[in-house]
């Protein structure tokens, strides 16, 4: 139907081009709708043409034309459920004409109480639908008591489809711009949180697993080898990726990040590879994708496990050939990009479920790095809390905050399902609620989802501030570690083994803790015997 009508009405083709072009300008949806009504007025007679947009079950008037249009009409709104004829037009996606005397549609006059239209006036309802969305309806009313002829209805329906397509393009453009703003704001926030020092947390870690991870990350950073960073949510995968970039020979070149889970599937290909003008509705200019933006630098594909399967093949080809075609173009673009990927998803399971390509997995995981959850490196808590409090102070101005021994014990007894992100939130929340500068065990409310271990016995802990904060008087790392182990041994009454023992509380194997105690010169606590480990 549309092709035949557009053949008989060549002006429709030009109008369609102008509508699409308008949808990609800064003039906005309001001007788009007003212009659409102007075009409709050229091809069909009416006394009132009204555009309604659908919002949460209501139709709200946004534009009106014709001799009967007034301020009341432009502010009019309807409950969709009360008007079967309008609801039917949206459900069937077909335009319909009738007179007010035709009661087969089962509802009254949509403008009852707003306009005094004569009995038997003629009406037309045109749905505005494109893709899977229905944006609203166009209604045409005229005083003349004669139903609109079907060819006229068909022609206006074409305009309705064009207008809906233009609205869809405007919506996609607005969504893309919003996502770009969010990505930019997220990058700025991350930089401010890290103080420009993504590797700070790695450098302050005492645990063997994190020291080994830092060493391996530095080694691979000197190459262009793809790295797959895995780990639970909140473990700091993007922090590690930024550290690898800063340690690399590409440090002076761009670091570009794309969160594959945050972009609608229909926009991901354009976000990755860019597009040319006219590639789709809303593409009013050529635009570079993340690959082109990262040329010479590093591209982080965050949450790679959420990448749609149909796009994984195109990504694999781009990685293998170091080239790609922007959406809508047949020209090949080359990009020199170092790829880092991150995910909290078990990709082996995703491969088994056919949700992730095995060949892409092996391409990305040449050098895998696993970030351990916080519960596997509890001995890093003193350094991590000091680092995060210092970073927090840069944003809030609350300097000098420190965690006491009982506070550290409280933090060490929690499993931290949200990892570093949850720890940072807990510290910020405690800082806001604490008047002084000491964060004690009572400062931390970890009741939501808490999975703390039961500690045997009831031991009071002296509230002695732990020397955690960075500065000129900071002791050596060995001294801090020795003091913390002594405090935990005091809490457990010298008990090393078993549930509630110092080794379990610190997240270490008993043999590892004993070896570290020997290295730090810690003997059995006076007053306690080996029998207490029984």
């Amino acid at each position: 139907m549309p092709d035949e009508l557009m053949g008989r009405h060549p002006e429709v083709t030009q109008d369609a081009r102008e509508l699409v072009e308008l949808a990609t300008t800064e003039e906005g949806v309001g001007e788009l709708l007003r212009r659409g009504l102007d075009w409709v007025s050229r091809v069909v007679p009416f006394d009132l043409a009204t555009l309604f947009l659908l919002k949460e079950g209501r139709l709200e008037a946004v534009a009106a034309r014709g001799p009967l249009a007034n301020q009341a009409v432009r502010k009019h709104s309807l409950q969709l459920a009360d008007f079967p004829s309008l609801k039917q037009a949206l459900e069937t996606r077909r335009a319909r004409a009738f007179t007010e005397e035709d009661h087969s549609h089962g509802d009254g006059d949509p403008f009852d109480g707003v306009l005094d239209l004569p009995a038997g006036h003629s009406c037309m309802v045109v749905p505005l639908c494109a893709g899977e969305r229905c944006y609203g309806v166009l209604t045409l009313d005229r005083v003349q008591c004669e139903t609109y002829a079907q060819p006229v209805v068909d022609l206006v329906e074409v305009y309705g489809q064009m207008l809906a397509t233009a609205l869809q393009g405007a919506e996609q453009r607005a969504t893309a711009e919003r996502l770009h703003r969010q990505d930019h704001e997220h990058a700025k926030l991350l930089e401010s949180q890290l103080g420009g020092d993504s590797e700070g947390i790695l450098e302050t870690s005492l645990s063997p697993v994190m020291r080994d991870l830092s060493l391996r990350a530095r080694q691979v950073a000197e190459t262009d080898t793809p790295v797959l960073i895995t780990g639970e949510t909140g473990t700091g995968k993007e922090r590690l990726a930024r550290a690898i970039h800063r340690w690399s020979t590409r440090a002076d070149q761009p670091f570009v990040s794309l969160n594959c889970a945050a972009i609608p599937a229909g926009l991901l290909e354009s976000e990755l590879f860019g597009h040319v003008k006219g590639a789709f509705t809303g593409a009013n200019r050529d635009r570079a994708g993340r690959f082109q933006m990262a040329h010479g630098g590093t591209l982080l594909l965050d949450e790679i496990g959420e990448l749609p399967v149909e796009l994984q093949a195109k990504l694999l080809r781009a990685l293998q050939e170091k080239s790609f075609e922007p959406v809508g173009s047949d020209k090949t673009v080359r990009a020199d990009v170092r790829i880092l990927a991150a995910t909290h998803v078990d990709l082996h399971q995703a491969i088994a479920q056919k949700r992730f390509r095995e060949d892409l997995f092996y391409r990305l995981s040449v050098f895998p790095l696993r970030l351990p959850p916080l519960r596997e490196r509890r001995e890093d808590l003193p350094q991590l809390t000091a680092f995060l409090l210092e970073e927090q102070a840069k944003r809030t101005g609350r300097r000098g905050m420190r965690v006491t021994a009982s506070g550290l014990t409280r933090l060490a007894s929690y499993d931290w399902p949200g990892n570093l992100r949850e720890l940072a939130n807990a510290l910020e929340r405690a800082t806001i609620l604490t008047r002084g500068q000491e964060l004690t065990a009572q400062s931390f409310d970890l009741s939501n989802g808490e999975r703390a271990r039961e500690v045997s016995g009831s031991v009071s802990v002296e509230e002695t501030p732990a020397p955690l904060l960075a500065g000129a008087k900071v002791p050596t790392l060995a001294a801090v570690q020795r003091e913390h182990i002594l405090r935990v041994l005091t809490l457990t009454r010298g008990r090393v083994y078993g549930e509630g023992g110092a080794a379990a509380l610190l997240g270490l194997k008993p043999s590892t803790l004993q070896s570290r105690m020997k290295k730090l010169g810690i003997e059995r606590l006076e007053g306690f015997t080996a029998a207490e480990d029984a």
Side-chain angles (χ1 to χ4, degrees):
M1 176 192 68
D3 292 339
E4 296 177 3
L5 285 168
M6 292 176 74
R8 294 200 300 268
H9 300 273
E11 71 277 7
V12 174
T13 304
Q14 179 60 31
D15 289 350
R17 294 195 189 100
E18 293 180 14
L19 270 172
V20 171
E21 186 65 28
L22 184 62
T24 62
T25 69
E26 301 293 336
E27 295 183 69
V29 174
E31 180 61 25
L32 172 69
L33 297 175
R34 287 190 290 272
R35 193 78 63 86
L37 286 182
D38 290 340
W39 281 317
V40 171
S41 67
R42 298 209 312 257
V43 298
V44 60
F46 57 78
D47 294 301
L48 176 63
T50 312
L51 270 167
F52 292 91
L53 291 187
L54 184 61
K55 297 180 181 179
E56 298 180 353
R58 294 191 66 82
L59 288 170
E60 298 183 0
V62 293
R65 285 284 187 279
L68 297 179
N70 57 34
Q71 198 63 23
V73 170
R74 293 184 176 92
K75 293 183 178 180
H76 193 39
S77 66
L78 305 168
Q79 191 69 37
L80 181 60
D82 295 338
F83 293 90
S85 61
L86 304 181
K87 186 178 180 181
Q88 183 185 35
L90 291 172
E91 290 175 347
T92 62
R93 298 191 170 207
R94 294 304 305 269
R96 183 187 177 193
F98 48 86
T99 66
E100 194 263 342
E101 292 181 343
D102 179 7
H103 295 292
S104 62
H105 54 284
D107 54 17
D109 181 5
F111 294 101
D112 188 27
V114 177
L115 290 174
D116 186 18
L117 292 170
H121 67 275
S122 53
C123 314
M124 186 192 307
V125 178
V126 182
L128 307 179
C129 300
E132 297 181 356
R133 283 282 309 276
C134 282
Y135 295 90
V137 297
L138 164 66
T139 63
L140 300 179
D141 294 87
R142 61 177 177 173
V143 176
Q144 184 178 353
C145 302
E146 181 181 343
T147 306
Y148 283 105
Q150 191 59 43
V152 175
V153 176
D154 293 341
L155 178 58
V156 179
E157 187 175 46
V158 172
Y159 272 92
Q161 294 170 356
M162 289 160 38
L163 193 55
T165 302
L167 284 170
Q168 183 185 50
E171 182 181 62
Q172 290 176 345
R173 177 176 176 275
T175 299
E177 290 179 350
R178 175 176 55 81
L179 291 170
H180 275 291
R181 284 196 304 271
Q182 288 178 349
D183 191 63
H184 179 66
E185 291 167 1
H186 173 71
K188 287 175 64 178
L189 176 61
L190 190 62
E191 286 297 327
S192 68
Q193 290 176 338
L194 298 177
D197 181 19
S198 300
E199 60 269 24
I201 282 185
L202 293 175
E203 297 300 334
T204 59
S205 297
L206 287 175
S207 59
V209 64
M210 289 302 292
R211 286 201 301 268
D212 179 64
L213 178 69
S214 179
L215 175 62
R216 293 171 60 209
R218 282 187 177 275
Q219 290 174 329
V220 75
E222 299 173 357
T223 72
D224 276 347
T225 301
V227 177
L228 177 62
I229 305 172
T230 60
E232 295 178 5
T233 298
T235 49
K237 296 184 287 294
E238 187 163 352
R239 291 177 185 263
L240 177 58
R242 289 179 180 271
I244 291 173
H245 174 70
R246 286 202 173 100
W247 291 333
S248 75
T249 57
R250 298 173 178 256
D252 294 333
Q253 299 300 317
F255 176 89
V256 178
S257 175
L258 174 66
N259 190 317
C260 300
I263 309 292
L267 297 176
L268 262 174
E269 183 175 0
S270 174
E271 287 294 321
L272 271 174
F273 306 121
H275 63 252
V276 297
K277 182 177 179 180
F280 51 83
T281 302
N284 62 321
R285 56 185 173 84
D286 291 355
R287 182 175 177 186
R290 304 300 174 96
F291 265 89
Q292 288 165 281
M293 294 178 189
H295 180 66
T298 303
L299 174 60
L300 169 64
L301 299 175
D302 201 4
E303 298 300 345
I304 188 69
E306 305 297 335
L307 191 69
V309 175
E310 59 270 19
L311 197 53
Q312 292 176 20
K314 296 182 179 180
L315 174 60
L316 178 63
R317 179 173 174 271
L319 297 180
Q320 290 174 335
E321 301 181 9
K322 298 185 182 300
S323 62
F324 55 90
E325 291 84 36
V327 178
S329 173
D330 57 359
K331 294 182 180 179
T332 299
V333 177
R334 298 195 63 81
D336 174 22
V337 176
R338 198 266 180 86
I339 295 292
L340 305 178
T343 183
H344 73 283
V345 173
D346 184 343
L347 292 184
H348 291 288
Q349 183 179 7
I351 290 170
Q353 296 173 348
K354 306 298 183 183
R355 293 186 292 108
F356 201 83
R357 293 178 62 103
E358 189 173 16
D359 47 4
L360 178 59
F361 170 78
Y362 288 117
R363 187 75 187 184
L364 294 172
S365 62
V366 178
F367 198 95
L369 291 175
R370 175 186 176 268
L371 268 167
L374 194 50
R375 62 182 175 276
E376 293 182 10
R377 52 186 185 107
R378 299 176 198 268
E379 63 266 51
D380 287 336
L381 277 169
Q383 290 70 38
L384 289 174
T385 53
F387 180 87
L388 291 171
L389 284 172
E390 196 63 31
E391 290 301 319
Q392 178 183 298
K394 296 174 184 177
R395 305 192 313 273
T396 65
R398 289 289 302 274
R399 297 189 178 277
M401 301 298 297
R402 58 183 178 271
V403 183
T404 66
S406 69
L408 278 176
T409 302
R410 172 70 165 146
L411 298 180
S413 68
Y414 184 57
D415 275 349
W416 300 107
N419 295 294
L420 288 178
R421 187 179 296 120
E422 186 181 8
L423 174 61
N425 291 342
L427 289 169
E428 185 166 356
R429 183 167 56 250
T431 300
I432 293 171
L433 297 174
T434 301
R435 291 189 176 183
Q437 292 185 313
E438 295 182 357
L439 302 178
T440 68
Q442 289 71 33
S443 302
F444 298 102
D445 179 11
L446 305 176
S447 57
N448 289 336
E450 185 172 31
R451 289 174 271 170
R453 293 183 177 89
E454 292 290 332
V455 179
S456 59
S458 177
V459 183
S460 62
V461 182
E462 182 183 357
E463 288 296 338
T464 304
L468 298 176
L469 296 180
K473 297 182 180 180
V474 170
T476 65
L477 294 178
V480 172
Q481 192 174 27
R482 186 178 191 276
E483 180 181 2
H484 184 52
I485 290 175
L486 282 170
R487 291 185 184 280
V488 174
L489 285 169
T490 301
L491 176 66
T492 62
R493 301 178 61 81
R495 186 178 182 184
V496 174
Y497 294 84
E499 185 178 0
L505 205 57
L506 290 169
L508 298 174
K509 294 180 179 179
S511 58
T512 302
L513 177 57
Q514 285 187 317
S515 175
R516 193 161 301 175
M517 289 168 60
K518 182 176 180 181
K519 182 178 179 181
L520 296 172
I522 301 175
E523 302 294 337
R524 277 281 180 180
L525 293 185
E526 186 176 354
F528 300 109
T529 66
E532 299 214 41
D533 272 338

